[in-house]
Amino acid sequence: MRPYLRPLMQVGPAAPDDAQRFGMCWFTHVEVLSRGAAPQIIPVSDLSDAERARFASARMDQALMGILNTTPDSFSDGGQFAEVAQAVAHGHAVIGAGAAILDIGGESTRPGAQTVAIDAEVLRTAPVIAALRGAGIKTPISIDTRKAAVAEAALDAGATIVNDVSGFTYDTDLAPLCAARGVPVCVMHAQGDPQTMQQNPSYENVVLDVYDFLAGRIAFLTAIGIPRHNIIADPGIGFGKTLDHNLAILNRISLFHGLGVPILLGASRKRFIGTIGNTPDANDRAPGSIAVALAAMAQGVQIIRAHDVADHAQAIALWRASVAHP
């Protein structure tokens, strides 16, 4: 059984000559993880050239993805931006606050959420995207959907990325559509459907199981014509995972650099942050969300998906300045 290699990231400008670099992050050692065996730590110099290349192929485009939910029932902002005018105004605000990508979703995927009809989801998203483009917004726009028909309408309206929380397993037409349109995709791990995913989720080894799922989906996507440089991977914090599962993934999230694609973290305002931070109201979870984001960035995570974009942008700017200062 093959081992899994997790770079032990360090942050700052002073990297040794033999270190492998990811932007501000670098590493000289990796943790070797195997199923049924204790982890081992070895120097980078002990890795083969092929193993090093897997890390070096990952792009480091650290950016904020701002969330725009046009749903009536999302867990923290449902109903706030259900009208086109409200959504467009919020989209402008999110981009102005520092979002490099705008992620628009018309179907809530919170635990217990019901599936939304295709026509309803299209009406919640495509007009907003078209209005943003009509207003001169050039920022990349991601459509957060599991459905090919919704993605197609969004792409026609001006979306440029497809973000599927099901990892392209829900609608078999969605991945071929993305390949045909030549658009970047985000492939996420989820255990089960949103309606049932939090009903006793279980894993043999959550970190390695999620890694294997994403590796398999990336292989599938590249096989149908989506190039690796057009793929982002998201381990799916909170999607069919307990608090302990979430923390285990966050603790070893640098493992996912071995996929050779950028990593997206979507932990903003999620329930485990409220549990640990004693903040039952999701709208009060910006500080905890930022803490998780900075910890992930210290492990080289490239894209942070966030509700509170201005707060994240300020915190990240200060984090970058402090770790870059000699």
Side-chain angles (χ1 to χ4, degrees):
M1 187 174 294
R2 68 178 176 83
Y4 302 78
L5 304 176
R6 182 177 80 93
L8 301 177
M9 309 302 295
Q10 300 186 54
V11 181
D17 291 339
D18 60 347
Q20 296 286 304
R21 259 204 176 277
F22 288 140
M24 289 188 209
C25 303
W26 49 274
F27 66 99
T28 57
H29 290 73
V30 297
E31 183 181 38
V32 181
L33 305 173
S34 301
R35 295 181 185 272
Q40 293 182 315
I41 295 175
I42 63 171
V44 171
S45 58
D46 286 358
L47 295 178
S48 71
D49 290 341
E51 288 167 335
R52 290 195 200 196
R54 291 195 304 161
F55 294 121
S57 64
R59 293 183 294 129
M60 291 301 293
D61 305 327
Q62 288 186 332
L64 272 172
M65 173 186 276
I67 298 168
L68 174 52
N69 288 320
T70 59
T71 55
D73 58 343
S74 290
F75 76 94
S76 72
D77 56 2
Q80 293 183 28
F81 313 113
E83 300 297 326
V84 172
Q86 295 173 321
V88 170
H90 187 65
H92 278 278
V94 167
I95 293 167
I101 305 168
L102 186 62
D103 192 45
I104 297 179
E107 178 183 59
S108 174
T109 49
R110 61 177 172 77
Q114 302 290 318
T115 301
V116 173
I118 289 172
D119 289 348
E121 193 176 342
V122 169
L123 285 174
R124 291 176 183 177
T125 53
V128 174
I129 295 167
L132 286 165
R133 292 305 189 208
I137 292 294
K138 304 297 184 185
T139 301
I141 294 176
S142 170
I143 177 65
D144 182 354
T145 187
R146 301 178 292 167
K147 308 180 185 85
V150 176
E152 185 170 29
L155 293 171
D156 290 343
T160 49
I161 302 168
V162 174
N163 178 14
D164 181 3
V165 299
S166 80
F168 295 89
T169 63
Y170 180 84
D171 185 340
T172 57
D173 292 332
L174 182 53
L177 169 70
C178 296
R181 299 290 288 261
V183 295
V185 301
C186 179
V187 56
M188 196 194 83
H189 173 274
Q191 186 180 91
D193 186 86
Q195 192 170 355
T196 61
M197 64 187 180
Q198 291 306 113
Q199 296 177 9
N200 194 32
S202 62
Y203 299 86
E204 178 185 346
N205 181 312
V206 65
V207 179
L208 304 186
D209 291 353
V210 171
Y211 183 98
D212 284 346
F213 171 86
L214 291 173
R217 299 315 294 166
I218 291 168
F220 162 76
L221 293 171
T222 57
I224 67 166
I226 299 177
R228 187 174 289 269
H229 66 258
N230 265 0
I231 300 174
I232 297 165
D234 178 354
I237 296 296
F239 280 80
K241 299 170 184 74
T242 65
L243 184 150
D244 286 341
H245 293 149
N246 292 329
L247 293 179
I249 290 169
L250 290 169
N251 181 258
R252 287 192 162 101
I253 199 166
S254 63
L255 169 72
F256 297 93
H257 291 305
L259 296 169
V261 302
I263 306 168
L264 182 148
L265 176 71
S268 179
R269 297 186 182 179
K270 290 194 172 174
R271 182 180 300 175
F272 82 100
I273 293 174
T275 301
I276 295 172
N278 193 28
T279 47
D281 188 335
N283 293 297
D284 295 333
R285 296 174 189 166
S289 300
I290 291 167
V292 171
L294 295 182
M297 289 181 66
Q299 291 196 52
V301 167
Q302 293 95 330
I303 302 170
I304 302 296
R305 185 177 182 271
H307 295 85
D308 305 288
V309 172
D311 292 339
H312 276 76
Q314 182 182 125
I316 290 170
L318 269 294
W319 178 84
R320 284 176 172 158
S322 63
V323 299
H325 196 279

